[in-house]
Amino acid sequence: MVEPTTSFIDRLKACLQDRLVSVVQAPHGEVTAEIRADAWEAATRALRDDPELHFEQLIDLCGVDYLGWGSDEWETDDVTDEGFSRGVEGEHGPGRFRWENRPLGNGPDRRYAVVVHLLSVRHNRRLRIRCFAPDNALPVVASLVPVYPVANWFEREAFDLFGIVFEGHPDLRRILTDYGFVGHPFRKDFPLIGNVEVRYDAERGRVVYEPVSIDPRVGVPRVIREDSRWQQAAAEQPSKGEGTP
């Protein structure tokens, strides 16, 4: 991929103009452009049709929930003798508070966003664009299907998992969850154990839905820390050739 240059950033700003909120360039050359929600479709159309940019392919589209941004359920710096961190009960998990009373105030002002990765085959460039939904209660952004038809299933997935509504989508319905599913499982406040259990009832001769009988757990990722046992074991081994007559 061609590394971004000042001229590319300038051309990006000139193309998007007032549709652009900000441009961020990461140390490794990734460029992210934040687009205004009311200009989402128009901005992507401009990025596609501009001959100096020509982002003719949509590679990926996904939803993001910033409810738990910067927070976790870890309350200890201790580790086990196996080198793994320990998670304990806490009040900082994203499923334990609402957006209005989230503990950290240095995150985004809005909860839901749509992130898109674009590719220009002609210029061998990639671009990440992001758009925040204005309403946290009912996140709505414009559909990109009229610009990139391949966005159809991606937007259905984001609608299904995050509850983001894509205005103008030709067939916006769930794509991964079961019929009658309640809620959106990738939202940070959706319980990890779900809301209902499904089982087959032999007496009724059909599948039945019942309240969940599993106790919720703390959602702590398993992080491998530096383990000195391997260095110690290597140091205790005799060096090559040592002890050879």
Side-chain angles (χ1 to χ4, degrees):
M1 183 184 70
V2 177
E3 288 294 326
T5 60
T6 304
S7 60
F8 169 67
I9 302 296
D10 292 340
R11 183 56 199 166
L12 191 63
K13 294 179 179 179
C15 174
L16 297 177
Q17 298 180 5
D18 59 347
R19 307 184 187 103
L20 186 65
V21 177
S22 63
V23 177
V24 177
Q25 182 175 346
H28 297 290
E30 296 91 348
V31 176
T32 301
E34 184 175 333
I35 311 295
R36 293 196 349 251
D38 57 354
W40 183 234
E41 180 185 348
T44 54
R45 194 180 299 275
L47 292 171
R48 183 196 65 179
D49 297 340
D50 189 295
E52 297 185 34
L53 298 175
H54 201 262
F55 288 101
E56 72 270 32
Q57 289 191 12
L58 185 146
I59 302 300
D60 187 28
L61 182 149
C62 68
V64 181
D65 180 3
Y66 286 94
L67 174 63
W69 190 91
S71 64
D72 55 42
E73 292 182 297
W74 291 11
E75 287 189 348
T76 177
D77 294 327
D78 298 337
V79 296
T80 67
D81 58 0
E82 296 180 351
F84 295 99
S85 296
R86 294 186 292 114
V88 297
E89 285 290 338
E91 300 178 355
H92 303 296
R96 304 176 190 272
F97 56 82
R98 299 178 61 85
W99 172 260
E100 294 76 14
N101 58 355
R102 59 193 184 281
L104 296 179
N106 55 348
D109 295 332
R110 284 161 293 176
R111 177 174 174 178
Y112 299 103
V114 177
V115 177
V116 171
H117 291 260
L118 301 177
L119 170 65
S120 173
V121 177
R122 176 183 299 177
H123 301 298
N124 191 25
R125 292 190 187 278
R126 295 179 184 269
L127 175 67
R128 181 190 298 113
I129 57 176
R130 180 177 64 175
C131 170
F132 281 94
D135 190 350
N136 294 324
L138 181 60
V140 179
V141 298
S143 173
L144 297 185
V145 173
V147 185
Y148 300 103
V150 72
N152 191 322
W153 281 23
F154 290 110
E155 291 182 349
R156 284 182 59 185
E157 181 184 42
F159 165 70
D160 190 0
L161 301 180
F162 290 93
I164 300 174
V165 178
F166 293 88
E167 188 175 8
H169 191 284
D171 186 21
L172 192 62
R173 52 196 171 96
R174 291 184 182 268
I175 192 172
L176 294 176
T177 55
D178 195 8
Y179 297 104
F181 190 90
V182 178
H184 304 281
F186 274 18
R187 289 188 174 186
K188 295 297 180 64
D189 52 3
F190 188 86
L192 296 178
I193 58 175
N195 292 312
V196 294
E197 289 181 353
V198 182
R199 68 175 180 87
Y200 179 77
D201 191 314
E203 295 183 358
R204 302 181 188 180
R206 63 180 177 86
V207 173
V208 296
Y209 293 82
E210 297 175 336
V212 175
S213 60
I214 305 174
D215 294 330
R217 299 182 302 171
V218 177
V220 178
R222 196 178 191 187
V223 178
I224 301 176
R225 295 180 181 269
E226 183 70 23
D227 193 342
S228 63
R229 291 180 301 170
W230 309 115
Q231 289 86 345
Q232 294 173 3
E236 293 173 358
Q237 291 180 356
S239 60
K240 187 175 182 180
E242 182 179 342
T244 304

